[in-house]
Amino acid sequence: MKNNVLAIIVAAGTAVVGSSLFSAPAHAQLSTNQDVNVQITVPEVLYLRTFGTISLAITGDDLVGTPGTIVSGVGKDNSGGATTTGAVTDTIDTTSPFASVSSITKTVPELFAVWSNNPNGGVNVTLSATTATLNGPSGASASILTVNKIGTDPTTAPGLVTPYVGGADIEFDLTQANAVGNYTGGVINVQAVAP
């Protein structure tokens, strides 16, 4: 009897499972894909970065033109070893040791950075002193004589990640700078052009 009950349960379970397997409709999974083209338009850009101010310290050696001549603001010599006997004809050499003040050049290794994606080539940078006079204390003044670019303009665009970087050699005339202090008011223009 026990075997008959067990056989009925197994037969019923098989019938239920079998009927569900055979009664469900066949379903196949479908799939497809398609490539889609992507495009963007990047505008042409030119970006210039400079320092806001150039603040240079003129040293005593700059004024004399010979390194080591001025120490802590003081320099000296003995007129080439000449001797005076106290005679009126024994005159001291009055040639200024500061003969270099008419042309002192200071270097600014990095003054500008330019980014560009110019499709026609590189970038041209020009420097010019638009206000050459620097005013100092008590009516004293200095002037910018020349501004020469340090760096070679690239013939291909530098791109938007790594810029073209350059500096300047600035030549000053200090013949009228006869007062200690700050001299301000000079302006250098940096122009970048993407041809």
Side-chain angles (χ1 to χ4, degrees):
M1 173 104 164
K2 181 177 177 185
N3 288 339
N4 289 338
V5 173
L6 190 56
I8 292 171
I9 293 172
V10 169
T14 303
V16 170
V17 171
S19 67
S20 67
L21 284 175
F22 294 110
S23 65
H27 179 72
Q29 182 178 354
L30 302 176
S31 176
T32 186
N33 67 73
Q34 175 70 36
D35 290 336
V36 178
N37 295 326
V38 178
Q39 68 180 37
I40 61 173
T41 301
V42 177
E44 181 179 352
V45 293
L46 174 66
Y47 196 96
L48 170 65
R49 178 175 292 153
T50 67
F51 287 97
T53 302
I54 300 170
S55 180
L56 302 172
I58 304 295
T59 67
D61 285 345
D62 289 333
L63 297 174
V64 175
T66 305
T69 302
I70 304 291
V71 178
S72 299
V74 176
K76 62 183 179 180
D77 68 26
N78 62 8
S79 194
T83 302
T84 181
T85 61
V88 176
T89 56
D90 292 342
T91 59
I92 195 159
D93 181 3
T94 57
T95 304
S96 174
F98 303 105
S100 295
V101 297
S102 62
S103 177
I104 292 176
T105 300
K106 298 296 282 186
T107 298
V108 180
E110 292 189 2
L111 178 58
F112 60 85
V114 181
W115 292 262
S116 172
N117 61 356
N118 174 21
N120 299 321
V123 176
N124 298 325
V125 176
T126 56
L127 309 177
S128 59
T130 53
T131 303
T133 301
L134 293 89
N135 298 306
S138 304
S141 65
S143 61
I144 301 170
L145 295 176
T146 61
V147 183
N148 294 314
K149 179 178 58 184
I150 298 173
T152 303
D153 290 343
T155 56
T156 59
L160 305 181
V161 177
T162 303
Y164 160 45
V165 177
D169 284 328
I170 307 170
E171 183 185 12
F172 296 94
D173 182 345
L174 303 182
T175 54
Q176 301 302 313
N178 51 11
V180 173
N182 291 326
Y183 289 71
T184 60
V187 177
I188 291 174
N189 179 265
V190 181
Q191 181 183 46
V193 176

